[in-house]
Amino acid sequence: MALSFSRTSLSITQKYFPSKTPTTKSTILNLLSYKPHNLNKFSTISKPNSFSLTITKLSKSPKPKSHLQPVRSLFTGIVEEMGTVQSLGDTKDGGFDLKIEAKTVLEGVHLGDSIAVNGTCLTVTDLTNEDFTVGLSPETLRKTSLIELKTGSLVNLERAVQPDSRMGGHFVQGHVDGTGMIVEKEPEGDSLWIKVKADKGLLKYIVPKGFIAVDGTSLTVVDVMEEEECFNFMLVAYTQQKVVVPLKEVGQKVNLEVDILGKYVERLLSSGFVDSFKGSS
């Protein structure tokens, strides 16, 4: 609230008449009824001829709405556990559900939360102490390898990160860019080389020593073979025990999500952003 003062009347009422319900105005007047012992010592302040008090409440203006939309979910590509598909198929209302048995990812999860299933960000629609269900749209089935799943299949699972989560992999959105096909698996010591064939539209974003999410697993690209339209990576023994990729056979599909930074760079270059700096120099 704001206080404003004016000098229009002759005196200040000395008596205070208490009301049954204290108000802001009565409290202020009570304070004003106190008479200082010696006003003369304040020589720099002249004694007012009159004093009146006006109380005005300031209206709270609403905060402007932000035009920035919050990121709904983000993942790291560090698989928390492998779940087991219990069932999948059409529902009575025309949808397509996928039910997965899990343990770790169920901790702290609620209906409507996001869980990455083989790198695909999906919304939890049903939940028990032993499993959860997600709905799959026709577009998800077209763009991902989830259509190849069957009862008993193992899938990579990861919950969306929290503000206090460690970023162990890289920024993974759970928006699958497309699928690749495993064309070669070759062991070397206790590690495993895997070569994947990808569409040219995706291959241009894949660079040696760069990040890529394969079935939701954050991996480092080793080489890119442009003529073969392939790239490869290596899995150490520990990783082979924790993710589903080494369990797949040659000819099977894997979900691919390229590093988002490459897309941003391409967008900036195509928009003339870099040329604008050249012109100003």
Side-chain angles (χ1 to χ4, degrees):
M1 62 178 61
L3 300 179
S4 61
F5 302 89
S6 62
R7 299 163 62 179
T8 55
S9 64
L10 255 177
S11 61
I12 303 173
T13 303
Q14 298 285 326
K15 288 187 178 181
Y16 169 57
F17 298 95
S19 59
K20 294 181 180 180
T21 305
T23 63
T24 302
K25 186 170 182 179
S26 64
T27 303
I28 295 295
L29 291 176
N30 186 31
L31 292 173
L32 292 176
S33 66
Y34 171 73
K35 186 174 182 180
H37 293 293
N38 186 7
L39 282 173
N40 292 330
K41 69 177 181 179
F42 300 101
S43 56
T44 58
I45 303 177
S46 60
K47 204 171 186 181
N49 294 329
S50 63
F51 188 89
S52 65
L53 181 65
T54 304
I55 300 174
T56 307
K57 289 186 178 180
L58 296 179
S59 60
K60 294 182 179 180
S61 56
K63 294 181 180 180
K65 293 183 179 179
S66 172
H67 294 290
L68 298 176
Q69 296 297 324
V71 178
R72 289 193 60 190
S73 58
L74 186 69
F75 306 91
T76 67
I78 304 300
V79 176
E80 294 186 273
E81 70 171 318
M82 289 189 287
T84 304
V85 174
Q86 288 187 328
S87 64
L88 72 164
D90 298 326
T91 62
K92 295 179 180 179
D93 57 0
F96 194 95
D97 279 354
L98 172 61
K99 189 175 183 180
I100 301 171
E101 180 183 358
K103 183 178 180 181
T104 302
V105 298
L106 295 180
E107 298 175 6
V109 167
H110 304 87
L111 292 178
D113 285 352
S114 297
I115 294 180
V117 180
N118 278 359
T120 308
C121 179
L122 299 172
T123 302
V124 176
T125 58
D126 196 12
L127 185 67
T128 72
N129 293 329
E130 298 179 346
D131 53 53
F132 68 94
T133 301
V134 292
L136 303 179
S137 69
E139 180 67 5
T140 299
L141 294 172
R142 284 191 293 265
K143 290 288 187 180
T144 71
S145 64
L146 298 181
I147 191 64
E148 295 185 348
L149 295 176
K150 56 185 179 181
T151 302
S153 295
L154 295 178
V155 289
N156 292 332
L157 300 176
E158 182 190 356
R159 291 167 293 186
V161 298
Q162 299 292 324
D164 58 348
S165 299
R166 296 181 63 182
M167 181 56 70
H170 72 283
F171 293 122
V172 178
Q173 296 179 295
H175 302 161
V176 175
D177 293 303
T179 58
M181 181 185 295
I182 298 175
V183 294
E184 186 178 295
K185 295 172 64 177
E186 183 179 344
E188 181 179 343
D190 63 353
S191 296
L192 180 66
W193 284 101
I194 296 183
K195 182 189 287 188
V196 176
K197 184 178 178 64
D199 184 86
K200 286 184 178 181
L202 292 182
L203 203 64
K204 65 179 180 179
Y205 298 111
I206 303 173
V207 297
K209 313 308 176 188
F211 287 121
I212 190 168
V214 181
D215 274 347
T217 305
S218 176
L219 298 170
T220 302
V221 177
V222 177
D223 289 312
V224 177
M225 292 72 80
E226 297 287 351
E227 293 183 359
E228 300 178 54
E229 298 180 8
C230 294
F231 69 94
N232 65 359
F233 53 88
M234 178 175 274
L235 300 177
V236 299
Y238 178 83
T239 304
Q240 293 176 50
Q241 305 301 317
K242 301 296 181 179
V243 300
V244 302
V245 177
L247 301 177
K248 291 190 173 183
E249 303 294 336
V250 171
Q252 284 191 278
K253 292 180 179 180
V254 289
N255 291 327
L256 301 178
E257 182 184 333
V258 299
D259 191 352
I260 189 65
L261 294 179
K263 294 181 180 180
Y264 282 130
V265 171
E266 180 185 53
R267 177 64 175 168
L268 288 173
L269 291 174
S270 63
S271 66
F273 179 77
V274 176
D275 293 335
S276 65
F277 281 94
K278 293 180 181 179
S280 60
S281 60

